[in-house]
Coordinates of all heavy atoms in Angstrom, one line a residue:
A53 N 7.5 0.3 9.1 CA 7.8 1.5 8.2 C 6.6 2.5 8.3 O 5.5 2.1 8.4 CB 8.1 1.1 6.8
T54 N 6.9 3.7 8.3 CA 5.9 4.8 8.3 C 6.5 6.0 7.6 O 7.7 6.1 7.5 CB 5.4 5.1 9.7 OG1 4.2 6.0 9.5 CG2 6.4 5.7 10.5
C55 N 5.7 6.9 7.2 CA 6.1 8.2 6.6 C 5.5 9.3 7.5 O 4.5 9.1 8.2 CB 5.8 8.3 5.2 SG 4.1 8.5 4.8
S56 N 6.1 10.4 7.3 CA 5.5 11.6 8.0 C 5.1 12.7 7.0 O 5.9 12.9 6.1 CB 6.6 12.2 9.0 OG 6.2 13.4 9.5
A57 N 4.0 13.2 7.2 CA 3.5 14.3 6.3 C 3.8 15.7 7.0 O 3.3 16.7 6.6 CB 2.1 14.2 6.1
E58 N 4.6 15.7 8.1 CA 5.0 16.9 8.8 C 5.5 18.0 7.9 O 5.2 19.2 8.0 CB 5.9 16.6 10.0 CG 6.1 17.8 10.9 CD 4.9 18.3 11.6 OE1 4.0 17.5 11.9 OE2 4.8 19.5 11.7
K59 N 6.4 17.6 7.0 CA 7.0 18.6 6.1 C 6.0 19.2 5.2 O 6.0 20.3 4.9 CB 8.1 17.8 5.3 CG 9.0 18.8 4.5 CD 10.2 18.0 3.8 CE 11.1 18.8 3.1 NZ 12.2 18.0 2.5
A60 N 5.1 18.4 4.7 CA 3.9 18.9 3.9 C 3.0 19.9 4.7 O 2.6 20.9 4.1 CB 3.1 17.7 3.3
R61 N 2.8 19.5 5.9 CA 2.0 20.5 6.8 C 2.8 21.8 7.0 O 2.2 22.8 6.8 CB 1.7 19.8 8.2 CG 0.7 18.8 8.2 CD 0.3 18.3 9.6 NE 1.2 17.4 10.1 CZ 1.2 16.1 9.9 NH1 0.3 15.6 9.1 NH2 2.1 15.2 10.4
K62 N 4.1 21.7 7.1 CA 4.9 22.9 7.4 C 5.0 23.7 6.1 O 4.8 25.0 6.2 CB 6.2 22.5 7.9 CG 7.1 23.6 8.3 CD 8.5 23.1 8.8 CE 9.4 24.3 9.1 NZ 10.7 23.8 9.5
L63 N 5.4 23.2 5.0 CA 5.6 23.9 3.8 C 4.4 24.2 3.0 O 4.3 25.2 2.3 CB 6.6 23.1 2.8 CG 8.0 22.9 3.3 CD1 8.7 21.9 2.4 CD2 8.7 24.2 3.6
L64 N 3.4 23.3 3.1 CA 2.2 23.5 2.2 C 0.9 23.7 2.9 O -0.1 23.9 2.2 CB 2.1 22.3 1.3 CG 3.3 21.9 0.4 CD1 3.2 20.5 -0.1 CD2 3.5 22.9 -0.6
G65 N 0.9 23.6 4.2 CA -0.4 23.7 5.0 C -1.3 22.5 4.7 O -2.5 22.6 4.9
Y66 N -0.6 21.3 4.4 CA -1.4 20.1 4.2 C -2.2 19.7 5.4 O -1.7 19.8 6.5 CB -0.4 19.0 3.8 CG -1.0 17.6 3.7 CD1 -1.8 17.3 2.7 CD2 -0.9 16.7 4.9 CE1 -2.4 16.0 2.7 CE2 -1.4 15.5 4.8 CZ -2.2 15.1 3.7 OH -2.8 13.9 3.7
K67 N -3.4 19.2 5.1 CA -4.3 18.7 6.2 C -4.9 17.4 5.6 O -5.4 17.4 4.5 CB -5.3 19.6 6.6 CG -4.8 20.9 7.3 CD -5.9 21.8 7.7 CE -5.3 23.1 8.4 NZ -6.2 24.1 8.6
T68 N -4.9 16.3 6.4 CA -5.6 15.1 6.0 C -7.1 15.4 6.1 O -7.6 15.9 7.1 CB -5.3 14.0 7.0 OG1 -3.9 13.8 7.0 CG2 -6.0 12.7 6.6
K69 N -7.8 15.1 5.0 CA -9.2 15.3 4.9 C -10.0 14.0 4.8 O -11.3 14.0 4.9 CB -9.5 16.1 3.6 CG -8.9 17.5 3.7 CD -9.3 18.3 2.5 CE -8.7 19.7 2.5 NZ -8.9 20.4 1.3
T70 N -9.3 12.9 4.6 CA -10.0 11.6 4.5 C -9.4 10.6 5.4 O -8.2 10.4 5.4 CB -9.9 11.1 3.0 OG1 -10.4 12.1 2.1 CG2 -10.6 9.8 2.7
S71 N -10.2 9.9 6.2 CA -9.7 8.9 7.1 C -9.4 7.6 6.3 O -9.8 7.4 5.1 CB -10.8 8.5 8.1 OG -11.8 7.8 7.5
L72 N -8.7 6.7 6.9 CA -8.4 5.4 6.2 C -9.6 4.7 5.7 O -9.8 4.3 4.6 CB -7.5 4.5 7.0 CG -7.2 3.1 6.5 CD1 -6.4 3.3 5.2 CD2 -6.4 2.4 7.5
D73 N -10.6 4.6 6.7 CA -11.8 3.8 6.3 C -12.6 4.6 5.2 O -13.1 3.9 4.3 CB -12.7 3.7 7.6 CG -12.2 2.5 8.4 OD1 -11.9 1.5 7.9 OD2 -12.2 2.7 9.7
Q74 N -12.6 5.9 5.2 CA -13.3 6.6 4.2 C -12.6 6.4 2.8 O -13.3 6.2 1.8 CB -13.3 8.2 4.5 CG -14.2 8.6 5.6 CD -14.0 10.0 6.0 OE1 -12.9 10.5 5.9 NE2 -15.0 10.6 6.6
G75 N -11.3 6.4 2.8 CA -10.5 6.2 1.6 C -10.7 4.8 1.1 O -10.8 4.6 -0.1
L76 N -10.8 3.8 2.0 CA -11.0 2.4 1.5 C -12.4 2.3 0.9 O -12.5 1.6 -0.2 CB -10.8 1.4 2.7 CG -9.5 1.2 3.3 CD1 -9.5 0.4 4.5 CD2 -8.5 0.7 2.2
K77 N -13.4 2.9 1.5 CA -14.7 2.9 0.9 C -14.8 3.5 -0.4 O -15.4 3.0 -1.4 CB -15.7 3.6 1.8 CG -16.1 2.9 3.1 CD -17.0 3.6 4.0 CE -17.2 2.8 5.3 NZ -18.0 3.7 6.3
K78 N -14.1 4.7 -0.6 CA -14.0 5.3 -1.9 C -13.3 4.5 -3.0 O -13.8 4.3 -4.1 CB -13.3 6.7 -1.8 CG -14.1 7.7 -1.1 CD -13.3 9.0 -1.1 CE -14.0 10.1 -0.3 NZ -13.3 11.4 -0.3
M79 N -12.2 3.8 -2.6 CA -11.5 2.9 -3.4 C -12.3 1.8 -3.8 O -12.4 1.4 -5.1 CB -10.2 2.5 -2.8 CG -9.4 1.5 -3.7 SD -7.9 0.8 -2.8 CE -8.8 -0.3 -1.7
I80 N -13.1 1.2 -2.9 CA -13.9 0.0 -3.2 C -15.0 0.4 -4.2 O -15.3 -0.3 -5.2 CB -14.5 -0.6 -1.9 CG1 -13.4 -1.3 -1.1 CG2 -15.6 -1.5 -2.2 CD1 -13.7 -1.6 0.3
Q81 N -15.7 1.6 -3.9 CA -16.7 2.1 -4.8 C -16.1 2.3 -6.3 O -16.8 1.9 -7.2 CB -17.3 3.4 -4.3 CG -18.1 3.2 -3.1 CD -18.5 4.6 -2.4 OE1 -18.0 5.6 -2.9 NE2 -19.4 4.5 -1.4
F82 N -15.0 2.9 -6.4 CA -14.3 3.1 -7.7 C -14.1 1.8 -8.4 O -14.4 1.6 -9.6 CB -13.0 3.9 -7.5 CG -12.3 4.0 -8.8 CD1 -12.6 5.0 -9.7 CD2 -11.2 3.2 -9.1 CE1 -11.8 5.2 -10.9 CE2 -10.5 3.3 -10.3 CZ -10.8 4.3 -11.1
I83 N -13.6 0.8 -7.7 CA -13.2 -0.5 -8.4 C -14.5 -1.2 -8.7 O -14.6 -1.8 -9.8 CB -12.3 -1.3 -7.4 CG1 -11.0 -0.7 -7.3 CG2 -12.2 -2.8 -8.0 CD1 -10.0 -1.3 -6.3
K84 N -15.6 -1.2 -7.9 CA -16.8 -1.8 -8.2 C -17.4 -1.2 -9.5 O -17.9 -1.9 -10.4 CB -17.8 -1.7 -7.1 CG -17.5 -2.7 -6.0 CD -18.5 -2.6 -4.9 CE -18.3 -3.7 -3.8 NZ -19.3 -3.6 -2.7
K85 N -17.3 0.2 -9.6 CA -17.8 0.9 -10.7 C -17.0 0.5 -12.0 O -17.6 0.2 -13.1 CB -17.8 2.4 -10.5 CG -18.4 3.2 -11.6 CD -18.4 4.7 -11.3 CE -18.9 5.5 -12.4 NZ -18.9 6.9 -12.1
R86 N -15.7 0.6 -11.9 CA -14.8 0.3 -13.1 C -14.7 -1.1 -13.4 O -14.4 -1.5 -14.5 CB -13.5 1.0 -12.8 CG -12.4 0.8 -13.9 CD -11.0 1.2 -13.5 NE -10.5 0.6 -12.3 CZ -9.7 -0.5 -12.3 NH1 -9.4 -1.1 -13.4 NH2 -9.3 -1.0 -11.2
G87 N -14.7 -2.0 -12.3 CA -14.4 -3.3 -12.5 C -12.9 -3.6 -12.1 O -12.1 -2.8 -12.4
P88 N -12.7 -4.8 -11.5 CA -11.3 -5.1 -11.1 C -10.4 -5.4 -12.3 O -10.9 -5.9 -13.3 CB -11.5 -6.3 -10.2 CG -12.7 -6.9 -10.8 CD -13.6 -5.8 -11.2
K89 N -9.1 -5.1 -12.2 CA -8.2 -5.6 -13.2 C -7.7 -7.0 -12.8 O -7.5 -7.2 -11.6 CB -6.9 -4.7 -13.3 CG -7.2 -3.4 -14.0 CD -5.9 -2.6 -14.1 CE -6.1 -1.4 -15.0 NZ -4.8 -0.7 -15.1
K90 N -7.6 -7.8 -13.8 CA -7.1 -9.1 -13.5 C -5.6 -9.0 -13.2 O -4.8 -8.3 -13.9 CB -7.2 -10.0 -14.8 CG -6.8 -11.5 -14.6 CD -7.1 -12.3 -15.8 CE -6.5 -13.6 -15.7 NZ -6.7 -14.5 -14.6

Side-chain angles (χ1 to χ4, degrees):
T54 187
C55 71
S56 171
E58 187 59 35
K59 192 173 184 181
R61 283 189 279 277
K62 184 178 176 182
L63 295 176
L64 304 168
Y66 169 79
K67 292 180 184 173
T68 301
K69 295 180 181 176
T70 304
S71 71
L72 177 60
D73 281 318
Q74 290 169 331
L76 291 175
K77 287 177 186 176
K78 287 180 182 182
M79 179 185 69
I80 290 166
Q81 289 170 352
F82 174 80
I83 292 171
K84 282 183 177 180
K85 183 178 178 182
R86 180 189 56 96
K89 283 187 172 182
K90 182 173 172 52

